[in-house]
Amino acid sequence: MNLWSYIIKRVLLMLPTLLGVIAITFAVIQFVPGGPVEQALVELKGQFGASGDVGGGGGGAQYRGRQGIDAERVAEIKALYGFDKPPIERFWQMLKGFATFDLGQSFYHHKDVWDLVVSKLPVSITIGMWTFFLTYFISLPLGIAKAVREGSRFDSLTTMLVLIGYSIPGFILGVFLLVMFGGGSFVQWFPLRGLTSDNWEQLSLIGKVLDYLWHIALPVTASVAGSFAVMTMLTKNTFLEEIRKQYVLTARAKGLSENKVLYKHVFRNALIPLVTGFPAAFIGAFFTGSLLIETLFSLDGLGLLSYESVIRRDYPVVMGTLYLFTLIGLVVKLLGDLCYVWADPRLQFESLNS
């Protein structure tokens, strides 16, 4: 099977997977109480109740008379949110919109879902980009150094440090950093919220860069601390597995230097599982916002948007972001499989299918 045949086959398999995820979520939503129609009715009843209370005299009777909302008003609210149509028709209309990447309009924000996602991207890209690059560019060299020095004091000490970082949840570390360095109980070296200062537009280019780095220092530290352990230990174990193989002993027996053995022979084979996970880690870091980190540091990103859309039953945002992120996840999985073949030409597409 050649490259293009494999890609076409995988794309055709993506379609039922994507459709299944959307259909199951849409079906579950139909049975979730407290939807936008119910919330609008409750809000109207509250307004009527407040109006009846201040009427004086016959206020109690007026309040009880307005407790029930007439059927015409209920029909108007259902039509406003599109719930006047059968579920099958609404599902089909949603699919037609998704086919053209029309994700609909938010019930709560009254904006296109695309515009909402784009408006939240700067925060998620900032946290994700720095988390991704710091994790890879520190964990890979550290993991290699640990593999070469296995059993040494350096290996034991760094293992203890990365496992301590892994054991501390990001939001707990974030609270600690705010208390220590954000003006909680000690010093206020870093700001408490936002990505930039209020006077950011008036700053020079260097001033903008420094202000940006100043604001992201604490949230990025809290976000990245737990990621070091997994990548570092994976790198170490992968390199150790390769170092113990027969071809390494043969290369050493031929008189090759340790650096040549490590970086010319071991490095490429050991990086295969790391490189293949690169697309998923890269995209995941950009699009999976951390709700707790964003809330703690007052950052309005995708994590907070997703949480609020579920709580407020903002179904167009829920379904639109689900569709977008599921599609991205499927494409990234395909890219990860293609990276396998790119990193190790000995693999064939038939083996990936199996």
Side-chain angles (χ1 to χ4, degrees):
M1 182 183 297
N2 59 36
L3 173 63
W4 291 109
S5 298
Y6 174 76
I7 293 176
I8 292 173
K9 182 177 180 180
R10 286 293 301 272
V11 170
L12 293 177
L13 289 174
M14 288 180 189
L15 296 178
T17 303
L18 184 61
L19 182 62
V21 171
I22 295 174
I24 292 174
T25 307
F26 183 85
V28 170
I29 283 177
Q30 307 310 306
F31 301 99
V32 175
V37 174
E38 289 82 359
Q39 292 186 16
L41 294 177
V42 169
E43 185 177 349
L44 283 176
K45 289 180 180 180
Q47 293 174 356
F48 291 158
S51 176
D53 288 340
V54 298
Q62 184 181 14
Y63 176 80
R64 288 191 295 270
R66 292 187 176 184
Q67 275 294 97
I69 299 177
D70 59 274
E72 183 179 351
R73 179 61 63 88
V74 174
E76 290 177 0
I77 294 175
K78 287 185 176 181
L80 176 65
Y81 292 111
F83 285 88
D84 57 328
K85 302 179 180 65
I88 296 297
E89 183 178 349
R90 287 188 281 116
F91 181 69
W92 178 245
Q93 288 182 346
M94 183 183 67
L95 289 183
K96 290 194 293 185
F98 285 174
T100 58
F101 288 94
D102 178 9
L103 305 183
Q105 190 175 48
S106 168
F107 292 155
Y108 181 80
H109 298 277
H110 306 291
K111 294 174 59 177
D112 287 341
V113 176
W114 260 118
D115 294 337
L116 277 175
V117 172
V118 171
S119 67
K120 310 298 182 183
L121 276 180
V123 170
S124 297
I125 287 178
T126 291
I127 302 299
M129 178 182 68
W130 287 106
T131 299
F132 173 80
F133 284 112
L134 287 176
T135 299
Y136 262 83
F137 285 105
I138 294 178
S139 296
L140 290 183
L142 181 59
I144 295 173
K146 287 173 62 63
V148 174
R149 298 172 177 82
E150 185 196 14
S152 67
R153 183 176 299 178
F154 170 81
D155 182 30
S156 302
L157 180 61
T158 53
T159 297
M160 181 180 66
L161 291 177
V162 297
L163 290 180
I164 289 175
Y166 180 70
S167 64
I168 301 176
F171 70 95
I172 296 295
L173 179 59
V175 172
F176 173 78
L177 293 174
L178 284 176
V179 171
M180 294 294 295
F181 307 112
S185 301
F186 295 89
V187 296
Q188 188 169 2
W189 291 348
F190 298 94
L192 297 178
R193 59 180 58 86
L195 290 180
T196 57
S197 300
D198 294 336
N199 64 335
W200 191 78
E201 293 293 341
Q202 286 74 43
L203 298 175
S204 64
L205 178 60
I206 296 178
K208 289 181 178 180
V209 172
L210 294 177
D211 182 73
Y212 167 74
L213 295 176
W214 182 47
H215 278 76
I216 68 170
L218 295 187
V220 168
T221 301
S223 178
V224 80
S227 305
F228 282 131
V230 175
M231 185 57 61
T232 300
M233 301 309 294
L234 176 61
T235 303
K236 175 191 173 182
N237 294 333
T238 304
F239 270 79
L240 280 178
E241 183 180 355
E242 291 297 323
I243 288 173
R244 293 166 179 166
K245 289 185 177 179
Q246 185 64 41
Y247 74 89
V248 176
L249 298 176
T250 303
R252 286 172 175 167
K254 290 181 178 180
L256 294 179
S257 66
E258 194 63 24
N259 284 338
K260 276 193 173 182
V261 172
L262 182 63
Y263 293 105
K264 185 178 180 180
H265 296 280
V266 175
F267 190 77
R268 179 175 181 179
N269 293 327
L271 280 183
I272 290 177
L274 304 177
V275 169
T276 52
F278 187 93
F282 184 77
I283 298 297
F286 275 71
F287 287 97
T288 54
S290 172
L291 168 63
L292 294 174
I293 296 296
E294 291 178 7
T295 303
L296 185 62
F297 292 96
S298 300
L299 300 173
D300 191 10
L302 290 175
L304 196 58
L305 173 66
S306 301
Y307 173 75
E308 290 178 346
S309 63
V310 173
I311 295 299
R312 293 166 175 165
R313 304 296 192 267
D314 198 349
Y315 296 146
V317 178
V318 174
M319 296 302 302
T321 53
L322 174 72
Y323 163 73
L324 184 62
F325 297 156
T326 303
L327 180 61
I328 292 174
L330 292 172
V331 172
V332 167
K333 183 64 172 67
L334 173 60
L335 294 177
D337 289 343
L338 295 178
C339 284
Y340 264 112
V341 179
W342 172 76
D344 189 356
R346 294 171 298 177
L347 292 174
Q348 300 297 322
F349 292 109
E350 288 83 354
S351 62
L352 292 178
N353 285 326
S354 60

